[in-house]
Amino acid sequence: MFDKVVRGGAAVLVRQLVSFPINLLGVTLVSRMLRPDDFAFNAILVPAVGLALLAIDWGTSQALVQAHNPASPGLMRRIQWQKLLAGLAVIAVLLLFSSDLASYWDVPTSLILLFPAAGLIGWLQSQRAYQAVRLQRRVEWSALARVELIEIVVYNAALVVAAYLLRSAWAFAIAMGLRALVGSVLLRMNAMREKMPPVPATEEQAEVMTINMKPLLVFGVPMQLTALLGILNGLANPVIVGGLLGAYSVGLINWSNNIVNMPRVPMRPFPLFLFSVLSER
């Protein structure tokens, strides 16, 4: 275990240090193609995706990482059905209220579908988190770091290409969605190459875990609520600044935050890394 932790921590750090110039290059190129207004709409899109993820995932992915016993196949299927139904519900709600949301933030007609797209991206991110559970439980962060580095390259490449072709905030949505999709596929392929973890030791225990999601929700939902504070903080810029000064100012602030926060990027994955390492088994 000690060797896994050391190798995993080193891999995460290397991944972050390598990703820094890639992200910097991506932001630099995109800044020459998109307007401040597009960065303003990205400031709305990111917390919208975060809220969608909370409504879809219910903290089940984090709960599966820390669970003492690996979940049975029946419970895993039930979680996937929950994610699918919640995802469809979130997308439908965002589609229903997209006109009202667009009117509130003065979003142009061409970008109205960004709101249901945020629901779809949230579902893709929940799938990515679900597929990462196995590696996180086994503290195999070396493998996770490789996947994440590929995700970063895909995100920045897609962002630059989409920004060049579309010249709109849709570039951010396409890049975020493609990143989550590629990550999910790569993690799924990694799982298929290896044996699945064993089910709980006894039939009685397996049956309880198959039909009962309550232990996961008891842990996961409060964990999600703590993440809600960060998402609401992210909404402060588009809601307060946007209401007072307009989308142009929101875009400038969002672009500036991306640049200023880049030196802090290498430290962002370590809370999740420590959660994986310290979770009860």
Side-chain angles (χ1 to χ4, degrees):
M1 174 62 75
F2 178 78
D3 291 340
K4 277 188 175 183
V5 172
V6 173
R7 289 197 304 270
V12 170
L13 181 59
V14 170
R15 170 265 199 204
Q16 290 302 101
L17 293 175
V18 172
S19 69
F20 177 80
I22 298 174
N23 289 329
L24 181 60
L25 178 62
V27 170
T28 302
L29 293 175
V30 169
S31 298
R32 299 175 65 87
M33 303 177 196
L34 299 181
R35 301 165 301 163
D37 287 1
D38 296 318
F39 283 88
F41 299 135
N42 182 51
I44 300 170
L45 177 66
V46 171
V49 170
L51 290 173
L53 176 60
L54 293 186
I56 293 169
D57 192 80
W58 298 0
T60 52
S61 297
Q62 289 178 305
L64 286 170
V65 172
Q66 67 83 44
H68 183 70
N69 295 304
S72 65
L75 179 58
M76 299 296 273
R77 286 193 296 270
R78 184 172 182 182
I79 290 172
Q80 282 293 67
W81 275 108
Q82 169 261 311
K83 288 177 182 286
L84 177 60
L85 295 176
L88 292 174
V90 168
I91 293 171
V93 169
L94 289 173
L95 183 61
L96 180 64
F97 291 99
S98 58
S99 297
D100 297 323
L101 294 170
S103 176
Y104 178 81
W105 273 300
D106 293 326
V107 176
T109 305
S110 61
L111 298 178
I112 286 181
L113 291 180
L114 275 180
F115 294 103
L120 176 60
I121 296 169
W123 179 77
L124 288 172
Q125 290 187 353
S126 76
Q127 290 300 308
R128 194 269 182 205
Y130 173 86
Q131 298 297 339
V133 166
R134 184 185 60 86
L135 291 179
Q136 290 186 38
R137 283 186 59 84
R138 294 164 57 175
V139 197
E140 293 185 3
W141 276 84
S142 297
L144 270 173
R146 290 193 296 270
V147 171
E148 290 176 352
L149 189 56
I150 295 173
E151 289 176 328
I152 291 169
V153 173
V154 167
Y155 171 82
N156 283 279
L159 181 60
V160 170
V161 172
Y164 176 77
L165 296 175
L166 302 176
R167 307 284 173 160
S168 78
W170 273 108
F172 294 105
I174 291 171
M176 291 174 64
L178 191 58
R179 174 178 182 164
L181 177 62
V182 169
S184 299
V185 171
L186 291 177
L187 290 168
R188 180 58 181 170
M189 291 172 61
N190 184 285
M192 293 174 64
R193 287 196 300 263
E194 301 179 16
K195 293 181 179 180
M196 296 298 293
V199 297
T202 66
E203 292 184 4
E204 180 181 359
Q205 191 177 35
E207 180 64 20
V208 169
M209 294 193 71
T210 299
I211 63 174
N212 190 12
M213 284 181 59
K214 183 177 179 180
L216 296 179
L217 298 179
V218 167
F219 177 88
V221 172
M223 284 287 292
Q224 294 289 77
L225 292 178
T226 61
L228 180 62
L229 298 177
I231 296 172
L232 294 178
N233 181 60
L235 277 171
N237 177 27
V239 172
I240 299 176
V241 178
L244 295 175
L245 302 175
Y248 187 87
S249 298
V250 173
L252 290 179
I253 293 175
N254 185 48
W255 178 84
S256 301
N257 283 338
N258 288 337
I259 301 299
V260 171
N261 289 327
M262 275 194 175
R264 300 168 53 190
V265 168
M267 301 306 297
R268 287 181 182 174
F270 280 98
L272 188 59
F273 170 71
L274 292 175
F275 177 78
S276 173
V277 171
L278 300 177
S279 290
E280 179 185 2
R281 298 286 189 276

